[in-house]
């Protein structure tokens, strides 16, 4: 039921998948041929099912919920793949220490779409409800090269999964509260103009400066929206 819940939430807002993590530019690339979306719900808009699922992940792994990123949901169709890559980039703000890859659907024996770890010589066939857990770094700022992984080409049908990344650092208030509320009109997935602005800040200010600017802008924007809404509601109440 939870897998179907995440698929239903993501389906209307899927778009071409981006590549890039931490302070890197987020862009569409041929290495990853799928559709994705972020369910940026933070700690204020996550559904009962999302909260229950994350709590179980935390209980089973010991991971700190304060370090849980927002979910990214992915759909692969026939021919879709993700070439071997790492989920890691050195970061002082959002270093993805662990990956919990949630399998939201099963694939048949002849369907392809396995999750492969070429350096570790491991191949996993996705089964709905399965979680593939691996560490991306040996220690803070040190990549574990054996975390190199990818999604084998899907021969037919479709495959769904979701990335639950665990940061080395606590998730900032803006990402837990301000951004999820501001992104409600887009279902929690940042629109293209916001991604371009974010990439520009990362390029011109560096990762730490870029994230600081994004977080500050989100908090200010939420404050302005709150004031406007409060004033409008107050005006309606006075008229009534």
């Amino acid at each position: 039921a939870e897998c179907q819940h995440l698929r239903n939430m993501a389906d209307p807002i899927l778009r071409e998948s981006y590549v890039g993590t931490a302070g890197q530019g987020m862009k569409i690339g041929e290495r990853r041929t799928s559709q994705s979306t972020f369910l940026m719900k933070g700690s204020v808009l996550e559904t009962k099912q999302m909260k229950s699922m994350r709590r179980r992940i935390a209980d089973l792994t010991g991971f700190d919920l304060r370090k849980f990123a927002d979910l990214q949901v992915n759909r692969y169709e026939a021919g879709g793949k993700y070439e071997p890559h790492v989920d890691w980039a050195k970061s002082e703000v959002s270093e993805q220490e662990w990956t919990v890859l949630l399998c939201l659907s099963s694939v048949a024996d002849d369907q392809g779409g396995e999750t492969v770890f070429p350096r570790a010589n491991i191949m996993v066939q996705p089964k709905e409800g399965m979680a593939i857990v691996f560490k991306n770094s040996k220690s803070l700022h040190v990549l574990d090269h054996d975390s190199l992984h990818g999604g084998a080409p899907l021969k037919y049908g479709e495959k769904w999964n979701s990335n639950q990344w665990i940061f080395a650092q606590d998730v900032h208030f803006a990402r837990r509260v301000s951004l999820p509320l501001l992104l409600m009109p887009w279902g929690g997935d940042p629109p293209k103009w916001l991604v371009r602005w974010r990439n520009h800040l990362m390029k011109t200010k560096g990762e730490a400066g870029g994230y600081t600017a994004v977080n500050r802008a989100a908090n200010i924007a939420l404050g302005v929206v709150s004031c406007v809404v409060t004033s409008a509601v107050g005006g309606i109440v006075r008229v009534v």
Side-chain angles (χ1 to χ4, degrees):
E2 290 168 338
C3 293
Q4 183 66 56
H5 176 70
L6 292 182
R7 296 198 301 265
N8 290 343
M9 289 181 65
D11 192 48
I13 54 174
L14 289 168
R15 38 87 186 143
E16 286 188 86
S17 298
Y18 298 128
V19 294
T21 185
Q24 301 171 349
M26 294 168 60
K27 57 186 181 296
I28 294 169
E30 294 182 359
R31 295 190 300 115
R32 187 183 191 188
T33 51
S34 62
Q35 295 176 306
S36 302
T37 188
F38 284 102
L39 298 179
M40 193 169 282
K41 304 297 183 181
S43 57
V44 290
L45 297 175
E46 64 178 351
T47 63
K48 180 176 67 175
Q49 294 92 331
M50 292 171 70
K51 185 176 294 186
S52 173
M53 180 189 67
R54 288 179 163 187
R55 170 53 63 187
R56 291 206 311 280
I57 292 173
D59 289 344
L60 289 168
T61 61
F63 296 151
D64 188 340
L65 282 166
R66 294 173 298 180
K67 302 180 187 298
F68 278 46
D70 288 291
L71 288 171
Q72 181 190 65
V73 179
N74 315 292
R75 181 177 69 188
Y76 294 82
E77 298 177 314
K81 68 181 190 306
Y82 198 168
E83 295 179 3
H85 62 284
V86 294
D87 285 354
W88 179 94
K90 182 178 178 180
S91 172
E92 300 292 343
V93 181
S94 58
E95 186 164 304
Q96 293 170 186
E97 184 178 14
W98 289 85
T99 295
V100 180
L101 182 62
L102 304 169
C103 301
L104 304 183
S105 67
S106 300
V107 298
D109 293 342
D110 64 343
Q111 197 174 354
E114 299 91 352
T115 297
V116 296
F117 295 81
R119 289 180 60 95
N121 196 29
I122 294 173
M123 178 180 292
V124 182
Q125 181 180 356
K127 298 294 183 183
E128 184 169 331
M130 174 190 291
I132 304 170
V133 184
F134 54 96
K135 193 174 185 183
N136 299 305
S137 57
K138 292 183 177 180
S139 58
L140 186 64
H141 305 333
V142 180
L143 171 66
D144 185 343
H145 292 279
D146 285 343
S147 69
L148 183 77
H149 65 286
L154 191 68
K155 296 178 182 179
Y156 64 88
E158 64 178 20
K159 177 185 77 172
W160 289 78
N161 61 29
S162 179
N163 295 306
Q164 174 62 80
W165 290 301
I166 316 298
F167 292 149
Q169 302 88 358
D170 288 354
V171 176
H172 193 277
F173 173 85
R175 192 158 176 173
R176 289 187 292 106
V177 178
S178 302
L179 278 169
L181 290 172
L182 292 170
L183 291 174
M184 285 177 64
W186 295 276
D189 190 57
K192 290 182 179 179
W193 62 264
L194 183 58
V195 173
R196 289 194 295 267
W197 178 65
R198 177 254 187 212
N199 289 347
H200 171 74
L201 289 174
M202 296 297 170
K203 183 177 180 179
T204 56
K205 295 179 176 292
E207 188 218 13
Y211 272 119
T212 297
V214 170
N215 292 338
R216 182 181 296 121
N219 291 336
I220 292 173
L222 181 62
V224 171
V225 171
S226 299
C227 289
V228 171
V229 171
T230 300
S231 297
V233 171
I236 293 173
V237 170
R238 285 193 295 273
V239 170
V240 174

